[in-house]
Amino acid sequence: MVALGDYNELKIAREVDFGVYLASEDGDILLPAKYVPQGAKVGDKVRVFVYRDSEDRMIATNLAPYATVGEFACLTCKDVTPFGAFLDWGLEKDLLVPLHNQKDKMQLGRKYCVYLYLDESSDRVVATTKLGKHLHNHDIPLAQGEEVDLLVAGFTEIGIKVIINNAYMGILFKNEVFRQLRLGDRTTGYIKQIRPDNKIDVSLRKPGTTQKAESDDASEKILRVLGQGSGWLPLSDNSSPEDIYQTLGMSKKTFKRAIGSLYKAGKIKLEEDSIRLV
């Protein structure tokens, strides 16, 4: 069976003027000419993504969508209609979020975190912003300190909501994040703790990282930024935490510790409102 909304390896069955047809147990599937790999011929196997076109026919492409069935992603709303909204997911045909799948009514141009699944009634790939039932925050097979993949899924007063390993919801506390994260960003994190109620706290900082190691990393980054620029940065002890974070992605405390170390080592000169590479 063809895996709709996912990648498939299919054999080229025949050529036509407008592309090639790929053989499958569900019948031949068109791969339009513009997506046929150069030099591909009848009998060759090609890796393609299969979905349904606007006329409900299965069609193949060698384009890579931003997400496949069973995955979470943050996508931009391209159109809003009375029956649903359409998101840009990297293919010619946009991804439908039916009205009943919208937690809040979607707005044109905004980005939303969604889950993609195959709708049984229509046999089409659709998305939903109602993420809860697609997350598995019970019997969590994760260990404290374990490295995990994070998808930034939303923001709250206390921190940043992240989807862990495409399966669990966690939180990054605001006072522990010292670089800018946007909706849809993907990054590496570490399990800080799993609470008795199965809520997961995560950190961007590797467990066991010492204050000295963190300061050394910050010092290297400051030297790198100075070296890549004019050898001067408009930052000092008097700079605001926001300016330091925006420029270097670190806390003011870490910045002050790093420039103190660099100054003692004779690598930078401290000025009233700036630092300069020696």
Side-chain angles (χ1 to χ4, degrees):
M1 296 286 289
V2 170
L4 267 175
D6 210 337
Y7 295 97
N8 298 259
E9 279 203 5
L10 301 174
K11 187 179 290 187
I12 297 176
R14 55 195 170 95
E15 297 181 16
V16 291
D17 291 342
F18 45 87
V20 300
Y21 278 97
L22 308 175
S24 82
E25 294 179 12
D26 296 308
D28 288 352
I29 300 171
L30 175 65
L31 176 63
K34 58 185 174 182
Y35 301 132
V36 177
Q38 190 171 5
K41 58 187 184 299
V42 172
D44 288 351
K45 277 192 172 183
V46 290
R47 185 174 185 267
V48 292
F49 181 82
V50 180
Y51 66 115
R52 291 193 181 277
D53 65 12
S54 55
E55 296 181 22
D56 223 23
R57 301 170 299 190
M58 282 198 290
I59 194 163
T61 178
N62 64 359
L63 294 176
Y66 301 141
T68 62
V69 161
E71 292 182 340
F72 295 89
C74 295
L75 307 174
T76 302
C77 181
K78 286 183 66 178
D79 192 19
V80 176
T81 71
F83 57 87
F86 289 90
L87 309 180
D88 175 14
W89 66 322
L91 301 180
E92 286 188 7
K93 184 193 174 193
D94 296 326
L95 178 66
L96 172 66
V97 184
L99 204 57
H100 64 266
N101 276 359
Q102 298 177 29
K103 190 174 181 180
D104 298 302
K105 192 171 182 181
M106 302 179 89
Q107 298 176 31
L108 187 66
R110 283 195 59 185
K111 205 170 190 178
Y112 296 89
C113 190
V114 297
Y115 177 81
L116 281 68
Y117 69 96
L118 193 62
D119 180 61
E120 291 182 0
S121 60
S122 65
D123 202 34
R124 288 188 175 198
V125 181
V126 297
T128 177
T129 61
K130 298 176 181 179
L131 308 183
K133 65 181 179 181
H134 303 290
L135 293 163
H136 310 287
N137 278 41
H138 55 274
D139 299 326
I140 302 168
L142 298 172
Q144 188 173 1
E146 184 174 340
E147 182 176 305
V148 290
D149 296 319
L150 305 177
L151 169 67
V152 176
F155 301 87
T156 70
E157 288 184 2
I158 62 170
I160 301 170
K161 294 192 293 184
V162 290
I163 293 171
I164 305 165
N165 289 355
N166 198 57
Y168 316 101
M169 183 66 80
I171 187 84
L172 279 167
F173 288 102
K174 189 183 296 183
N175 63 349
E176 296 178 1
V177 178
F178 300 111
R179 62 185 172 93
Q180 191 169 17
L181 290 174
R182 298 181 178 87
L183 189 68
D185 282 354
R186 295 181 184 272
T187 188
T188 298
Y190 303 89
I191 301 299
K192 188 176 178 182
Q193 70 168 330
I194 300 174
R195 301 186 197 179
D197 59 0
N198 281 335
K199 290 183 178 177
I200 308 172
D201 298 344
V202 291
S203 173
L204 298 179
R205 184 176 174 181
K206 190 173 182 178
T209 303
T210 64
Q211 191 178 82
K212 183 180 183 305
E214 185 179 38
S215 180
D216 288 346
D217 288 344
S219 296
E220 287 179 15
K221 183 170 186 178
I222 291 168
L223 288 176
R224 185 168 65 251
V225 173
L226 285 167
Q228 290 171 348
S230 60
W232 173 84
L233 272 177
L235 297 174
S236 71
D237 282 353
N238 301 319
S239 298
S240 70
E242 292 75 20
D243 287 344
I244 293 169
Y245 171 77
Q246 189 171 8
T247 305
L248 295 170
M250 64 182 68
S251 68
K252 182 169 182 176
K253 184 177 179 181
T254 300
F255 170 75
K256 289 177 69 175
R257 202 159 48 228
I259 62 172
S261 175
L262 290 171
Y263 176 74
K264 287 178 183 177
K267 295 182 179 180
I268 63 169
K269 183 179 179 181
L270 300 180
E271 299 178 346
E272 186 176 349
D273 294 311
S274 63
I275 57 175
R276 192 178 297 276
L277 194 62
V278 171

